[in-house]
């Protein structure tokens, strides 16, 4: 049963909107940032990582965003072009804004954190005038991501993109991607996230992210089913609630619930798990697969990415994921 009907005959499969940044991942792992001297530079930003992951799986992808008018901005656009992502709707900032930097600290596989430099960033300068109705109309799906809602004019640009998507039946995915430091007031995220989530077809987030959205409305005990039903009362058809190494649950508007288990791996760092999961899960849905199979693909992709140093560069191909799943099954059979 297909819970999501993607429109046929569109030029593009998938467009993401929002953050295009740089990740600077510590080379000297298992030590605090204070003692870290060297980093490797990668393209980053949750929606960028998801688009790169989708493109690596063969999904015809594009991006709506804004980059700084400098070497960093050009590095990002070139990387996306080299990875078969359409960049025609990425505009260049002319106000002197900079590229957001995410310095990652890998103290241990369990203790990873991100130090963000995000003052006056170009991605949040994306404005409604940068969003093309024609572009969104040409795509089967649009992905929005929560951080782009944290400031104007990026917030309005995302809401306009949502309006265009709904007008043209472009399926909308919302990866909640809640980063508290992006928000000036603690009361704002729940308000804007909820306004956006009301319009989305598929909502993907961690339990903690959904808790943030429910901070005013309450959901005693943070019950996943109660959360999912809230969004089924709006436009959602699938709600995915992730629980880190405890796996994930997908709820459908038709009343089904599926558990996604994890693939054990040698974890190098945990960030990137959510982005790789989302890209492979979306890929699966776009192939018309069952939710369970799409979740399995998402979990396997996440498992591959968290065992590697980067997020974007580590996004796997279909063949790599298939091989990884087959290898994990074999391991299961031989373990006593
Ligand atoms: N330690 C782990 N081992 C194996 N798989 C994992 C682990 N942690 C997460 N995953 C996989 O990644 C998926 C998403 O992880 P998680 O719930 O941590 O999302 P997230 O918090 O959005 O990720 P991120 O850290 O990138 O923000 C999980 O459902 C699971 O399949
Ligand atoms: O989303 C960001 O700005 C940083 C990411 O690129 C980072 O690597 C991460 O947190 C992935 O989830």
């Amino acid at each position: 049963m297909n819970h999501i009907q993607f429109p046929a005959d569109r030029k593009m499969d998938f467009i993401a909107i929002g953050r295009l940044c740089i990740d600077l991942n510590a080379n000297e792992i298992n030590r605090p940032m204070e003692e870290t001297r060297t980093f490797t530079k990668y393209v980053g930003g949750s929606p960028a990582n998801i688009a790169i992951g989708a493109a690596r799986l063969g999904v015809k992808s594009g991006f709506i965003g804004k980059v700084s008018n400098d070497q960093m901005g050009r590095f990002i656009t070139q990387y996306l072009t080299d990875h078969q992502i359409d960049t025609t709707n990425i505009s260049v900032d002319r106000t002197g804004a900079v590229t957001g930097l995410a310095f990652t600290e890998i103290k241990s596989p369990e203790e990873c954190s991100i130090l963000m430099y995000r003052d006056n960033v170009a991605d949040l300068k994306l404005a409604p005038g940068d969003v093309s109705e024609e572009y969104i109309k040409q795509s089967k799906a649009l992905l929005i991501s929560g951080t782009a809602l944290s400031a104007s004019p990026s917030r309005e640009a995302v809401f306009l993109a949502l309006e265009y998507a709904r007008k043209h039946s472009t399926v909308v995915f919302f990866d909640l991607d809640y980063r508290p430091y992006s928000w000036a007031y603690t009361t704002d995220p729940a308000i804007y996230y909820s306004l956006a989530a009301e319009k989305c077809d598929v909502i993907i987030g961690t339990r903690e992210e959904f808790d943030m959205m429910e901070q005013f409305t309450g959901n005693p005990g943070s019950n996943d089913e109660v959360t999912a039903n809230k969004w089924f009362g709006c436009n959602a058809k699938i709600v995915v609630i992730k629980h880190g190494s405890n796996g994930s649950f997908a709820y459908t508007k038709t009343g089904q619930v599926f558990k996604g288990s994890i693939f054990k791996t040698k974890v190098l760092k945990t960030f990137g798990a959510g982005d790789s999961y989302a890209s492979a899960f979306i890929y699966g849905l776009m192939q018309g697969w069952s939710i369970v199979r799409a979740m399995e693909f998402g979990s396997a992709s996440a498992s591959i990415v968290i065992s590697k140093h980067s997020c974007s560069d580590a996004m796997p191909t279909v063949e790599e994921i298939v091989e990884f799943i087959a290898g994990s099954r074999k391991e299961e059979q031989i373990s006593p």
Side-chain angles (χ1 to χ4, degrees), residues 175 179 205-206 208-209 242-248 260-265 267 270-277 295 298-300 302-303 306:
D175 189 296
R179 314 272 172 156
T206 62
E208 295 74 24
E209 288 171 332
K242 299 177 289 180
H243 292 264
S245 57
N246 292 319
S248 52
S261 26
I262 67 151
F263 289 90
K264 289 214 177 81
T265 190
V267 181
T270 51
F271 45 86
D275 299 340
S276 41
Y277 179 98
M295 289 171 93
S299 302
S303 210
I306 60 180

Side-chain angles (χ1 to χ4, degrees), residues 237-286:
K237 283 104 194 155
I238 302 176
V239 174
V240 178
I241 306 179
K242 299 177 289 180
H243 292 264
S245 57
N246 292 319
S248 52
F249 292 89
Y251 290 81
T252 71
K253 189 173 183 158
T254 49
Q256 292 162 295
V257 51
F258 304 100
K259 164 119 175 80
S261 26
I262 67 151
F263 289 90
K264 289 214 177 81
T265 190
K266 193 167 174 358
V267 181
L268 175 72
K269 45 91 180 121
T270 51
F271 45 86
D275 299 340
S276 41
Y277 179 98
S279 56
F281 176 71
I282 293 169
Y283 167 82
L285 291 187
M286 295 196 85

Side-chain angles (χ1 to χ4, degrees), residues 25 60 256 305:
N25 289 5
K60 203 165 180 317
Q256 292 162 295
V305 168

Side-chain angles (χ1 to χ4, degrees), residues 16-28:
I17 183 169
R19 193 153 89 266
L20 293 162
C21 294
I22 299 279
D23 281 355
L24 289 161
N25 289 5
N27 292 334
E28 297 105 32

